[in-house]
Each structure stands twice: as C-alpha cells, then as structure tokens.
Amino acid sequence: MSRISKIDPETATPEVKSAIADHLAAGYRLTSEKLTLLHNVTAFRCLEVESYALDRELQRLIGKRAADFFEYAISLENDCLVCSTYFGKLLRDNGIDFETFAFTDREQLLIDYGRAMAKDPKGVPDELFEKLKAEFTEEELVVITTMGVFMIANNYFNDILQVESELLSGNK
C-alpha cells in the first residue's frame, strides 16, 4: 500500500484541478504516481511535466525506441516496479521482448549507460563513456544523462513512497 494517498481530482484545489486539466489536454493520463505528486503542483510540474518535455527532446535526438530502451534499462536496474511495469508493457505492446531482442549497437550502448547510471552514478566506467562520446554529441549526452536522472528520480519517488502501479492493480 502506498505511503502517501492519491489526491481526489473531484475535491482537489483549483490549482490542482488546473494542473490536471492541462495534463489531460496535452494528451496524458493520470497515473497513481501523478495523483500522488499532485499533492504539490510544483513537485508535479518538476518531476512529471518537465520530464515529458525532456523525453520529447530525447526522442528527437535519439529516437523513440532507443529512448524507451534506455529508460526501461534504468527502471530494471533500479528494480522500480511501477516504471519497469510501464515500460515492459509498452515494449510488449510493440512486439518487443527486452530479454531476447536484437538491439543495435547504439541501443545496447544506451542500455549499458542506463544500467551503469542507475547502478552507480559515480562509477560509470570510463571505457563506456568513451564509447558514448564516440557515438553521441555533447548535447545528446547532456539530454540523455538528464533524462536518466529524471528516470532515477521517478523510480526513487515511486519506491520510497511505495506508489502502486495501476497496471498491476488492474486500474488502467
């Protein structure tokens, strides 16, 4: 059970209702994580709204599939049930079995980087980073790394507050 309640959109403050309306109008849905974050609109905007903007930038630079693989690898390494369930379903819905899929060298490099970041941010091997620098521009590396940090923050938020996955509870 989650340590923090989800807000009730029906009884929320006008500020929260406005944030919800904006989020839904942008084509996103409300998840357990978002309904928990919405106890504070600034926290919601920082962790959710801005991560969507950053994810769009990441996809522009490296492609959606590569971005999804990178983000899923971080969630798996962090063992975050909410995020790994989300990305696992996303990949399965696209016919991809992460355990047996033949990744491109570039995708595998991103997966290795995501796992290394999540495992030990101070211990990302120099050899791995040299391969990244040979494949990606400095701008791309900044965006990739920042998105990785957002994913780790999302994973920590969900795990620390024991946010329940609506995908596992059947409340899609």
Side-chain angles (χ1 to χ4, degrees), residues 123-132:
V124 174
D126 290 337
E127 178 183 303
L128 174 59
F129 209 82
E130 289 305 314
K131 289 178 184 177
L132 289 161

Side-chain angles (χ1 to χ4, degrees), residues 20-171:
I20 290 171
D22 291 347
H23 196 65
L24 295 174
Y28 302 116
R29 61 187 187 85
L30 293 176
T31 63
S32 296
E33 176 185 6
K34 295 170 189 177
L35 290 171
T36 304
L37 273 165
L38 278 162
H39 279 283
N40 183 278
V41 172
T42 301
F44 171 75
R45 287 186 179 132
C46 287
L47 195 55
E48 283 299 319
V49 176
E50 291 306 318
S51 73
Y52 281 106
L54 186 61
D55 191 50
R56 285 189 301 275
E57 183 66 6
L58 179 66
Q59 290 178 32
R60 182 185 73 77
L61 292 171
I62 68 171
K64 180 171 178 15
R65 189 173 90 167
D68 288 345
F69 291 157
F70 174 67
E71 293 166 12
Y72 185 48
I74 290 169
S75 297
L76 286 176
E77 189 66 38
N78 273 341
D79 197 27
C80 176
L81 187 59
V82 172
C83 293
S84 62
T85 300
Y86 169 80
F87 281 105
K89 181 182 182 323
L90 177 75
L91 295 178
R92 283 189 306 280
D93 287 351
N94 286 294
I96 296 171
D97 177 355
F98 195 76
E99 298 304 316
T100 61
F101 190 77
F103 303 106
T104 66
D105 290 343
R106 191 172 201 225
E107 290 166 344
Q108 188 61 57
L109 184 59
L110 288 162
I111 290 165
D112 293 345
Y113 185 44
R115 287 183 167 155
M117 287 177 64
K119 183 176 182 177
D120 180 8
K122 293 181 182 180
V124 174
D126 290 337
E127 178 183 303
L128 174 59
F129 209 82
E130 289 305 314
K131 289 178 184 177
L132 289 161
K133 286 173 62 175
E135 182 67 33
F136 299 101
T137 67
E138 289 183 338
E139 177 191 12
E140 290 168 333
L141 286 171
V142 165
V143 173
I144 292 164
T145 303
T146 305
M147 188 67 225
V149 170
F150 266 92
M151 280 307 305
I152 291 166
N154 272 300
N155 292 338
Y156 281 11
F157 180 87
N158 288 320
D159 288 343
I160 292 165
L161 296 181
Q162 298 176 358
V163 174
E164 296 172 343
S165 170
E166 59 277 347
L167 294 175
L168 295 175
S169 67
N171 299 328

